[in-house]
Every structure is written in C-alpha cells, then in structure tokens.
Amino acid sequence: MPYIGRFAPSPTGPLHAGSLVAALASWLDARAHGGQWLVRIEDVDTPRCIPGADQGILQQLATCGLVPDAPVMWQSHRGEAYQAALDELIAKDWAYPCGCSRKDIEYAHALMGHTRERHQAAVYPGTCRDGLHGKTARAWRLNVQRVIDDLKLATPLVWHDRVVGIQQQDVAREVGDFVLRRADGLWAYQLAVVVDDAAHGITHVVRGADMTDNTARQIVLQHALGLPTRSYLHTPLVLGGNREKLSKQNGAEALELSNPLAALNSAVAHLNLPPKSGSISEALAQWVKLYEKSK
Ligand code: GLU
C-alpha cells in the first residue's frame, strides 16, 4: 500500500518540544513504511500567524534532520481549492450561510435553558439551518445531520486510531453544524485539512492527540466531498511543568536546538524509543529500525 504522510504545523510560533514529538512521529512512521513525508504550513488563520514563523519551523525541522520529500505547501495559496469544495457542498445543499454572532448562539442556548461548562464550545443551535431570518450571512456551516442522513452514515461515527483503537463521536449532537468558512472570510481549519490531505494524496495522518477530537468531523467532511478516509494515529501530548499540554497558546518555549540530538532524544522518549548517540542521521536511522520492529 502506498504511504504518504505529513506534518502540518501552524506558523503561530516556533516548534516546541510537543510539536517535535508529532513531527518526529510522522517522519518515523513514514520512513518505517517506506513512504513519503510531506510538510504543509497551515497558515489559514492569518491573524494568529507570525511572519517568518514558517521559515523558522522549516529550519528547526532541518536542524533535526527532518527534511520533506517534496516541496513544502502553504495553505494560504489554496483558497481556490477550498472555495471549490465549499461550492460542491452548497450545490448538494449540505452547506448553508449563517448570520449568527457568538452572542446570538449564546442567547439561543439560554432560551433553550442550556447551560454549558466554561471553555466548552457551544454546539451550534441550528438557528440559520432553514434560512437566515433576515440576518446577513456571515459564515458557512455544514449541515451535519443532513450529510449523515443523505449518505446513511452511522451515528455515532466510529473510527479507528492506530494507538488507542476504536473512537466514536456523535458529530451532529456533540459538535453540531461546524463552520467551513468563518465570519471574517477565513477558511476553517476542518475544511482546509480535509481538502489538502486529499489533494496531497495523504494516506496516513500522524499528529498530536490534541487533534483527536477533530477527526470525526474531518471524516464526515471526507464523506461529504466523496474523499477516502485516511489512517489515523495520534501521538501522546507533552505536558509542561504545570501539567498542562505544551502549546503555543499557553506559552510553550521554542525548542532549544543548540544540541539537536538532545532535543530528538527527549522527543523519542515520548514514543517509547531509547536515546541514541552519534550523528543525527545515525540516530534517526536506528530509530527507524526500532520503530519498524515495534509497529
Ligand atoms: N495545524 C495543526 C497544528 O499545528 C495540525 C493539524 C493536523 O495535523 O491535522 O496543531
């Protein structure tokens, strides 16, 4: 079976110890399968992107011996492909314009007597599903239940993670009609990832466990766009001193790369591989062998 994997960093800051684990895991998995490893810069959320962070990340990867097998792709160049996908969903009557602000959504929930945990995203109450009710269109949403019904997809949606096994999510109830194009005109991560993974022929997605919760949504979108579902593996998260996951949002420090082998040795520990000495390329080659045996 052909294998094309990828690492898809958002250029919102430099790589940190957690993102190196995901990068290395995706690289090792590709090498162990004799596959290709691609890098895609996920710069659709332009207000969160930091100028120059993309080049910085590519440099950090190269310092760690992780060099993509094909030219790097930037999502900011892919607007036409995302528009074509949205047009296809609109033509099938699976996407609809939404005029709700965040306040409108909160208000609709309050009217229905729903309370919600702090920090938990509100499930869209479906206000604009049957029309804008005089409001101005702001965002585009996927009519999840209609896709599920029309395509006779199972509820809950069941998928397989290569590490943790069977996962399931009732996307219509737990997530709701998620956004495809945002009110500020930017493309939503979910649509961009699905369109790009298909366009680049990605067969295996290996990424951090913080992405696990997006997978069912992405599989629904793959079905809606007539695209194959990929193989998924989510790598363990790296926790900081405060036991919170390392992320750029909570101020994770940039990878310290004065000794790249030391950084790689810390990263492989999260993948249950032993530390190695020698040159970076020797260490990487040994990890590929060990990884092959363990898979
Ligand atoms: N761009 C996402 C991130 O940097 C990863 C998305 C993915 O791998 O699907 O966290």
Side-chain angles (χ1 to χ4, degrees), residues 98-102 104-105 124 127-128 132 135-136 138 141 183:
C98 171
C100 295
S101 64
R102 201 163 292 165
D104 294 334
I105 297 174
Y124 182 62
T127 321
C128 296
L132 282 162
K135 285 192 280 198
T136 309
R138 291 162 50 89
R141 290 181 182 275

Side-chain angles (χ1 to χ4, degrees), residues 10-253:
S10 306
T12 51
L15 289 186
H16 54 72
S19 32
L20 182 62
V21 173
L24 185 59
S26 63
W27 184 89
L28 280 172
D29 202 56
R31 285 290 170 272
H33 284 86
Q36 269 193 302
W37 184 69
L38 311 184
V39 172
R40 179 171 76 225
I41 301 288
E42 299 211 317
D43 55 350
V44 271
D45 192 353
T46 37
R48 287 183 50 228
C49 294
I50 294 179
D54 50 355
Q55 295 301 341
I57 289 172
L58 296 173
Q59 186 58 51
Q60 288 178 300
L61 290 171
T63 305
C64 293
L66 308 178
V67 180
D69 297 318
V72 174
M73 294 138 322
W74 272 261
Q75 286 192 324
S76 53
H77 301 168
R78 304 262 308 140
E80 271 177 33
Y82 307 146
Q83 186 63 56
L86 178 59
D87 288 344
E88 188 180 329
L89 296 170
I90 296 170
K92 288 180 170 154
D93 215 9
W94 289 339
Y96 63 88
C98 171
C100 295
S101 64
R102 201 163 292 165
K103 271 221 170 83
D104 294 334
I105 297 174
E106 301 264 333
Y107 184 64
H109 277 286
L111 282 184
M112 291 185 282
H114 295 169
T115 51
R116 128 179 111 79
E117 304 273 327
R118 236 159 67 86
H119 300 312
Q120 198 190 319
V123 172
Y124 182 62
T127 321
C128 296
R129 202 176 286 142
D130 302 310
L132 282 162
H133 308 289
K135 285 192 280 198
T136 309
R138 291 162 50 89
W140 282 88
R141 290 181 182 275
L142 187 73
N143 189 331
V144 174
Q145 192 61 56
R146 189 172 291 166
V147 173
I148 289 173
D149 291 346
D150 288 356
L151 294 177
K152 301 190 172 44
L153 303 181
T155 297
L157 189 115
V158 175
W159 59 278
H160 182 256
D161 182 284
R162 282 166 53 206
V163 172
V164 282
I166 297 293
Q167 303 285 303
Q168 58 176 49
Q169 189 174 50
D170 181 340
V171 183
R173 202 178 52 80
E174 293 172 46
V175 181
D177 292 351
F178 57 89
V179 170
L180 303 168
R181 186 168 200 167
R182 295 166 22 169
D184 55 11
L186 296 177
W187 293 103
Y189 157 72
Q190 309 292 352
L191 183 75
V193 166
V194 167
V195 169
D196 285 345
D197 280 345
H200 303 142
I202 303 299
T203 55
H204 292 67
V205 173
V206 176
R207 57 184 176 187
D210 50 338
M211 294 290 134
T212 310
D213 187 53
N214 296 301
T215 307
R217 255 172 282 186
Q218 292 172 13
I219 293 174
V220 170
L221 261 181
Q222 285 160 359
H223 283 293
L225 290 165
L227 303 171
T229 287
R230 332 260 135 214
S231 155
Y232 288 97
L233 187 162
H234 293 87
T235 60
L237 293 183
V238 178
L239 302 181
N242 54 3
R243 308 299 299 158
E244 277 194 28
K245 85 166 171 104
L246 281 191
S247 78
K248 293 165 201 158
Q249 282 75 39
N250 61 33
E253 278 172 36

